[in-house]
């Protein structure tokens, strides 16, 4: 029999005790071991289905064995490709946190492959509902719905167990100081690419096509951070509104790739497609990180459906309010929060991460709303908190680990120890205010642009992921085109999304045909991206910003499966110019010896041969610690390293920054009287990156709202 073909229902199988490990369903060549962790359950049944679209199960088997809190059994004779779900028995007592309902088949929390997604139907709920559009009174939840959900339940498939051949695959292991991140969405990146075969657009294999990889390499990116690729499922609200969960931050299964990114008709091969994509990236010298969501699931709040964890053991997997066990702690803002204080939930998360790391060779993870993953003080003291577990894990600690260090209740910047890195929203907001606001923010200069370890003591910027834009918020184009969010398309009356964007439309809201407004917007984009490239942390770009992608002012386009989130691969002239500028800038950042040295040694205590100086508009040197107390008009920063071969020769860069609306002539400080200069770029110019030859300089004409980079060389015969 083909191992992909389920065993016919008329062939009886024998149930044996089996093993509590590993959790999930695993085939050994003779049968399948089932194991599920449910401390409060009283009985667990395996339900087998003939086909993914079957309306009811063909057979049930009761797992008689229980080790600790784990129910297990071994079905001899069952093979790969078989389709299954669980019925979990126990108290239906919502007031005490229990939502067991054996009338509802639920998905295995460790399912490796999704055979059928749940349908959004009234049968999917543990309590009686007659529609999915309106919320019911809480009293309705107290009554158990006895209707069977077999026809609409989510189902898993036993994987073949065949191993993918990782021929010659090696993780690039790019050092952090050389890393440039690029946040992208599988479908949004590829759905409109003209050189990606039509059948691969929007898929894992589409993302690994040569034209896409060449684009990423040409841009100067080293590491792609993919928006969630775990199997997600939209909320009832989105479904009722005709929208979808495009971003994927609504996880259904923590072990299964999202079927949206599989080739049509080849859904069973989704995991292998994902592995081929990773292998292609590694062959191109590129890394892939996964944005993972372990703070909540797609089961929503107390009114949500029973799809997986809620029906397996609600009180164990979810964090419930201590004084009201019917309600969920909602630090995720999505209705529920996973209970990371419970060992079975911590095990679920660690097992999921290890699975993706070992099975797919992924290079690291970015943790959504990671503040929700921080343990109690007692757990931290005993080293039992999830963050410490991951930091010390022999498989995971060697990968790139990035925290979004907040949730809707807590801001925990600085709470994630090495080797963790953290998203830095302070950089995002400070830079935006610096370039967009009406008053200067010199703390942006001292904290984020300075490489002087003395002036940044204790701030550890080398551990920060710095960004101007990300998926959550305005794109770069919209940041300079809108003063306010325009989220009407999300059908929430424009109430969703952040109201503090620190954006500036440069004179007109939205699309403009005013040449001066358009020129200012382009210059502002260049200023923002240059400041990011010159900062002291690890830069991250948003996919599509290189082509000036717009979301038409929507700063929360999570549910827009349309042009708002799709890259256009037929850019206009000014968009091509910006792409060329960004490519040139990142290449200069990567190859300039001064910037390379500054990034590599930043924050080290030992003495290094790196000089950093700040000058005001009059050419007077200023200690960086004093910058914050000065009114801002213009400052310049100088970085210099000595040549290892010739003591008299030095290489450095002088960065001129004018954030004001008026131009002026900058007098080069007397410190540089023996230097020659080479202009690298000036953001005020239409073609801002035409490097000049070296020449002596006394003055430089600084235009309004602009940045200039001058490369300096100390003439040996005069020095």
């Amino acid at each position: 029999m083909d191992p992909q073909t389920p065993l016919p229902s008329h062939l009886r199988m024998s149930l044996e005790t089996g093993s509590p490990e590993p959790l999930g369903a695993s085939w050994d060549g003779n049968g399948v071991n089932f194991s599920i962790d449910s401390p409060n359950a009283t009985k667990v049944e395996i339900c087998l289905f003939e086909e993914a679209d079957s309306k009811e199960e063909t057979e049930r088997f009761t797992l008689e064995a229980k080790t600790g809190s784990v129910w297990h059994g071994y079905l001899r004779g069952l093979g790969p490709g078989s389709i299954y779900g669980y019925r979990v028995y126990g108290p239906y007592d919502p007031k005490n946190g229990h939502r067991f309902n054996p009338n509802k088949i639920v998905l295995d929390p460790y399912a490796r492959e999704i055979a059928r997604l749940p349908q959004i139907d009234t049968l999917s709920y543990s309590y009686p509902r007659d529609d999915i559009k309106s919320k019911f009174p809480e009293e309705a939840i107290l009554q158990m719905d006895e209707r069977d959900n077999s026809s609409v339940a989510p189902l898993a498939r036993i994987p073949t167990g065949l191993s993918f051949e990782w021929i010659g695959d090696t993780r690039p292991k790019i050092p952090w100081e050389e890393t440039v991140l690029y946040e992208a969405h599988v479908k949004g990146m590829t759905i409109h690419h003209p050189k990606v075969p039509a059948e691969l657009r929007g898929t894992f294999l589409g993302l690994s096509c040569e034209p896409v990889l060449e684009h990423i390499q040409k841009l100067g990116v080293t590491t792609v951070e993919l928006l969630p690729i775990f199997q997600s499922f939209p909320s009832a609200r989105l479904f009722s509104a005709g929208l979808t969960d495009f971003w994927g931050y609504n996880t259904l299964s923590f072990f299964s790739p999202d079927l949206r990114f599989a080739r049509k008709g080849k859904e069973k091969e989704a995991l292998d497609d994902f592995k081929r994509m990773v292998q292609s990236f590694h062959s191109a010298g590129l890394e892939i990180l996964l944005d993972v969501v372990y703070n909540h699931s797609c089961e929503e709040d107390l009114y949500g459906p029973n799809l997986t964890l809620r029906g397996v053991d609600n009180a164990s997997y979810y964090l419930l309010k201590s004084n009201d066990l019917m309600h969920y702690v909602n630090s995720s803002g999505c209705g529920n929060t996973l209970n990371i204080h419970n060992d079975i939930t911590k095990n679920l998360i660690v097992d999921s991460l290890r699975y993706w790391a070992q099975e797919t060779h992924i290079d690291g993870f970015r943790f959504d709303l990671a503040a929700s993953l921080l343990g109690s003080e007692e757990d931290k003291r005993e080293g039992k908190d999830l963050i410490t577990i991951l930091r010390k894990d022999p498989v995971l600690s060697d990968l790139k680990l990035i925290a979004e260090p907040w949730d809707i209740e807590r801001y925990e910047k600085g709470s994630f120890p090495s080797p963790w890195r953290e998203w830095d929203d302070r950089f995002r907001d400070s830079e935006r205010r610096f370039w967009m606001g009406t008053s200067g923010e010199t703390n942006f200069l001292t904290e984020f642009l300075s490489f002087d370890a003395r002036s940044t003591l204790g701030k550890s910027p080398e551990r920060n992921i710095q960004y101007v834009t990300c998926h959550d918020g305005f794109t770069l184009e919209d940041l300079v085109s809108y003063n306010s969010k325009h989220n009407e398309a999300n059908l929430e009356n424009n109430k969703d999304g952040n109201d503090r964007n620190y954006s500036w439309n440069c004179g007109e809201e939205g699309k403009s045909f005013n040449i001066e407004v358009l020129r200012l917007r382009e210059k502002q984009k260049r200023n923002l991206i240059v400041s990011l490239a010159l900062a002291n942390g690890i830069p991250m770009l948003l996919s599509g910003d290189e082509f000036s992608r717009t979301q038409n002012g929507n700063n929360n386009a999570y549910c827009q499966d349309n042009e708002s989130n799709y890259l256009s691969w037929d850019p206009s002239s000014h968009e091509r110019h910006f792409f060329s500028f960004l490519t040139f800038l990142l290449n200069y950042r990567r190859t300039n010896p001064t910037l390379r040295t500054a990034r590599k040694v930043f924050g080290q205590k030992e003495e290094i041969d790196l000089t950093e100086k700040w000058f005001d508009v009059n050419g007077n040197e200023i200690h960086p610690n004093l910058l914050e107390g000065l009114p801002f008009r213009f400052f310049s920063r100088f970085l210099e390293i000595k040549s290892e071969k010739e003591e008299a020769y030095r290489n450095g860069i002088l960065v001129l920054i004018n954030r004001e609306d008026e131009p002026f002539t900058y007098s080069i400080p007397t410190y540089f009287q023996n230097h020659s200069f080479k202009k690298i770029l000036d953001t005020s110019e239409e073609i801002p990156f035409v490097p000049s030859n070296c020449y002596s300089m006394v003055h430089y004409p600084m235009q309004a709202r602009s940045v200039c980079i001058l490369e300096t060389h100390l003439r040996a015969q005069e020095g």
Side-chain angles (χ1 to χ4, degrees):
M1 181 180 295
D2 187 331
Q4 296 278 1
T5 304
L7 195 70
S9 60
H10 64 277
L11 297 179
R12 304 301 299 176
M13 290 155 285
S14 60
L15 179 66
E16 302 172 9
T17 300
S19 171
E21 295 180 349
L23 289 166
S26 50
W27 178 58
D28 64 2
N30 298 307
V32 177
N33 190 80
F34 291 91
S35 178
I36 183 170
D37 202 344
S38 180
N40 295 299
T42 58
K43 178 181 174 182
V44 177
E45 293 176 335
I46 308 165
C47 302
L48 300 180
F49 288 72
E50 286 261 8
E51 305 289 343
D53 58 357
S54 297
K55 300 299 182 183
E56 57 185 24
E57 69 261 44
T58 55
E59 292 189 80
R60 292 192 202 180
F61 295 87
T62 300
L63 298 180
E64 302 287 356
K66 186 181 182 185
T67 302
S69 60
V70 177
W71 301 77
H72 51 91
Y74 180 83
L75 273 177
R76 186 171 296 278
L78 188 66
S82 299
I83 297 168
Y84 73 100
Y86 284 112
R87 293 186 188 272
V88 185
Y89 294 73
Y92 186 82
D93 186 4
K95 286 189 174 181
N96 285 304
H98 300 303
R99 300 283 285 269
F100 292 104
N101 187 339
N103 301 292
K104 310 299 178 181
I105 290 177
V106 292
L107 184 70
D108 181 358
Y110 279 73
R112 298 297 200 269
E113 193 174 308
I114 302 298
R116 182 176 76 188
L117 288 171
Q119 296 179 32
I120 298 180
D121 189 276
T122 58
L123 295 176
S124 302
Y125 296 82
S126 63
Y127 60 97
R129 292 189 69 135
D130 53 20
D131 72 73
I132 61 171
K133 294 183 179 180
S134 59
K135 286 190 175 182
F136 284 59
E138 288 188 11
E139 290 74 17
I141 297 174
L142 301 178
Q143 180 182 351
M144 185 174 74
D145 182 22
E146 297 182 355
R147 296 177 299 165
D148 191 89
N149 76 332
S150 297
S151 61
V152 299
L155 300 175
R157 182 183 290 110
I158 308 295
T160 62
L162 300 177
S163 60
F164 180 82
E165 294 186 12
W166 291 98
I167 301 174
D169 183 71
T170 304
R171 289 189 174 102
K173 292 191 175 182
I174 298 166
W176 275 114
E177 67 268 15
E178 297 178 14
T179 299
V180 177
L181 291 161
Y182 181 83
E183 190 186 44
H185 186 279
V186 172
K187 181 176 181 179
M189 185 81 176
T190 62
I191 193 66
H192 280 336
H193 201 303
K195 294 184 179 180
V196 172
E199 67 274 14
L200 299 184
R201 293 173 190 169
T203 70
F204 294 131
L205 291 186
L207 192 65
S208 62
C209 281
E210 194 65 28
V212 180
L213 295 178
E214 288 178 353
H215 171 80
I216 295 169
Q217 290 172 316
K218 183 178 180 181
L219 187 57
V221 165
T222 67
T223 307
V224 174
E225 182 181 296
L226 289 180
L227 266 66
I229 59 88
F230 294 180
Q231 184 63 63
S232 63
F233 193 68
S235 67
R237 187 201 76 81
L238 291 179
F239 177 79
S240 300
L243 300 172
T244 189
D245 176 32
F246 182 77
W247 285 352
Y249 288 91
N250 221 29
T251 310
L252 171 68
S253 174
F254 298 101
F255 292 84
S256 307
D258 200 316
L259 297 178
R260 293 182 298 161
F261 308 135
R263 291 170 290 153
K264 189 173 182 180
K266 302 286 186 178
E267 287 80 8
K268 293 180 182 179
E269 300 175 29
L271 183 61
D272 277 357
D273 286 356
F274 182 83
K275 293 176 182 178
R276 290 190 183 96
M277 177 193 71
V278 173
Q279 191 173 49
S280 296
F281 268 69
H282 288 176
S283 296
L286 300 169
E287 295 179 316
I288 289 188
L289 310 185
L290 298 184
D291 193 339
V292 290
V293 186
Y294 294 114
N295 54 80
H296 76 282
S297 83
C298 68
E299 292 184 298
E300 305 179 57
D301 60 12
L302 74 164
Y303 295 101
N306 271 34
L307 302 177
T308 177
L309 301 179
R310 176 173 282 141
V312 173
D313 197 330
N314 184 67
S316 294
Y317 286 98
Y318 289 115
L319 195 59
L320 308 178
K321 292 186 177 181
S322 58
N323 59 348
D324 184 1
L325 297 177
M326 187 169 172
H327 288 81
Y328 297 84
V329 173
N330 186 24
S331 58
S332 67
C334 299
N336 63 67
T337 303
L338 294 189
N339 184 7
I340 55 91
H341 306 293
N342 193 318
D343 285 345
I344 68 171
T345 310
K346 282 188 280 193
N347 292 338
L348 173 72
I349 294 172
V350 173
D351 289 346
S352 170
L353 291 167
R354 285 177 179 160
Y355 172 76
W356 289 99
Q358 294 176 314
E359 186 72 20
T360 73
H361 291 201
I362 211 70
D363 299 285
F365 304 92
R366 178 265 186 188
F367 293 78
D368 179 65
L369 299 182
S372 296
L373 305 180
L374 292 171
S376 65
E377 291 303 319
E378 181 180 355
D379 282 347
K380 291 178 184 178
R381 285 193 300 270
E382 298 178 0
K384 296 180 180 180
D385 64 295
L386 184 61
I387 303 306
T388 300
I389 291 172
L390 299 183
R391 186 165 62 94
K392 294 182 177 180
D393 187 274
V395 173
L396 303 173
S397 60
D398 194 39
L399 305 182
K400 283 184 163 75
L401 302 178
I402 301 173
E404 183 183 37
W406 56 79
D407 56 26
I408 67 169
E409 295 180 345
R410 293 178 295 174
Y411 187 83
E412 297 288 349
K413 187 78 177 68
S415 296
F416 294 82
S418 180
W420 287 78
R421 300 302 192 268
E422 299 175 335
W423 270 28
D424 194 353
D425 61 327
R426 299 171 307 116
F427 175 91
R428 175 199 64 195
D429 294 347
S430 188
E431 183 181 6
R432 289 183 179 190
R433 289 193 296 262
F434 179 83
W435 285 110
M436 308 295 191
T438 56
S439 61
E441 283 221 355
T442 50
N443 70 306
F444 171 70
L445 300 173
T446 57
E447 183 168 355
F448 300 115
L449 293 189
S450 176
F451 282 93
D452 188 335
R454 294 167 301 175
S455 68
T456 56
L457 190 62
K459 299 175 183 176
S460 301
E462 77 278 7
R463 292 186 50 239
N464 292 337
I465 306 298
Q466 295 174 338
Y467 58 100
V468 184
T469 55
C470 66
H471 70 277
D472 190 5
F474 281 146
T475 65
L476 188 63
E477 179 71 18
D478 288 355
L479 190 64
V480 299
S481 303
Y482 293 90
N483 284 348
S484 305
K485 65 182 183 182
H486 297 268
N487 297 0
E488 290 79 9
N490 297 349
L491 304 181
E492 296 184 52
N493 298 316
N494 204 33
K495 294 180 179 179
D496 64 304
N498 202 327
D499 291 317
R500 293 192 304 167
N501 296 290
Y502 306 115
S503 61
W504 179 44
N505 63 19
C506 297
E508 291 186 16
E509 187 75 355
K511 190 172 182 179
S512 175
F513 297 96
N514 185 308
I515 297 299
E516 293 306 312
V517 169
L518 295 177
R519 284 177 177 169
L520 179 55
R521 288 177 178 178
E522 289 303 302
K523 185 165 61 172
Q524 285 288 82
K525 289 193 305 187
R526 293 193 288 265
N527 291 335
L528 288 160
I529 217 71
V530 167
S531 300
L532 174 64
L534 295 178
N536 52 34
I538 302 153
M540 184 181 75
L541 306 172
L542 173 63
S543 172
D545 276 353
E546 69 269 33
F547 290 147
S548 302
R549 179 174 67 89
T550 178
Q551 293 174 176
N552 299 311
N554 191 330
N555 74 349
N556 189 34
Y558 74 104
C559 55
Q560 300 300 316
D561 189 355
N562 52 45
E563 305 304 316
S564 293
N565 278 304
Y566 302 164
L567 265 70
S568 171
W569 293 92
D570 184 24
S572 64
S573 176
H574 85 275
E575 290 167 347
R576 285 195 296 270
H577 285 163
F578 187 73
F579 173 77
S580 298
F581 168 74
L582 184 53
T583 300
F584 171 85
L585 176 65
L586 292 180
N587 180 67
Y588 182 75
R589 179 186 183 275
R590 181 177 65 254
T591 58
N592 178 265
T594 303
L595 291 174
R596 286 179 61 88
T597 301
R599 292 196 304 273
K600 185 172 293 187
V601 303
F602 180 71
Q604 296 183 5
K605 294 181 180 179
E606 62 266 22
E607 291 295 323
I608 55 172
D609 216 352
L610 174 70
T611 298
E612 177 175 286
K613 294 182 179 293
W614 288 89
F615 301 93
D616 65 12
V617 64
N618 299 313
N620 299 316
E621 185 176 351
I622 308 171
H623 191 280
N625 287 347
L626 301 178
L627 281 172
E628 293 189 27
L630 297 175
F632 180 77
R633 182 188 176 202
F634 170 93
F635 288 103
S636 59
R637 181 186 72 162
F638 173 63
L639 283 173
E640 179 188 61
I641 59 169
K642 290 182 180 179
S643 169
E644 295 179 357
K645 297 180 179 179
E646 187 178 351
E647 184 70 17
Y649 176 81
R650 293 176 173 84
N651 175 269
I653 61 170
L654 180 63
V655 181
L656 313 181
I657 305 169
N658 180 18
R659 204 226 58 149
E660 296 300 296
D661 291 322
E662 298 297 327
F664 69 96
T665 300
Y666 175 61
S667 296
I668 303 296
T670 56
Y671 179 87
F672 300 106
Q673 61 183 352
N674 292 326
H675 287 69
S676 59
F677 292 88
K678 178 180 180 180
K679 184 179 69 174
I680 301 301
L681 65 82
D682 187 330
T683 61
S684 68
E685 299 174 355
E686 291 291 324
I687 303 178
F689 53 99
V690 181
S692 65
N693 295 322
C694 289
Y695 58 95
S696 299
M697 184 181 295
V698 178
H699 302 287
Y700 188 85
M702 280 300 296
Q703 301 304 310
R705 292 185 177 272
S706 64
V707 179
C708 175
I709 298 178
L710 302 175
E711 196 167 286
T712 75
H713 301 272
L714 182 65
R715 295 189 293 277
Q717 67 274 19
E718 299 182 27

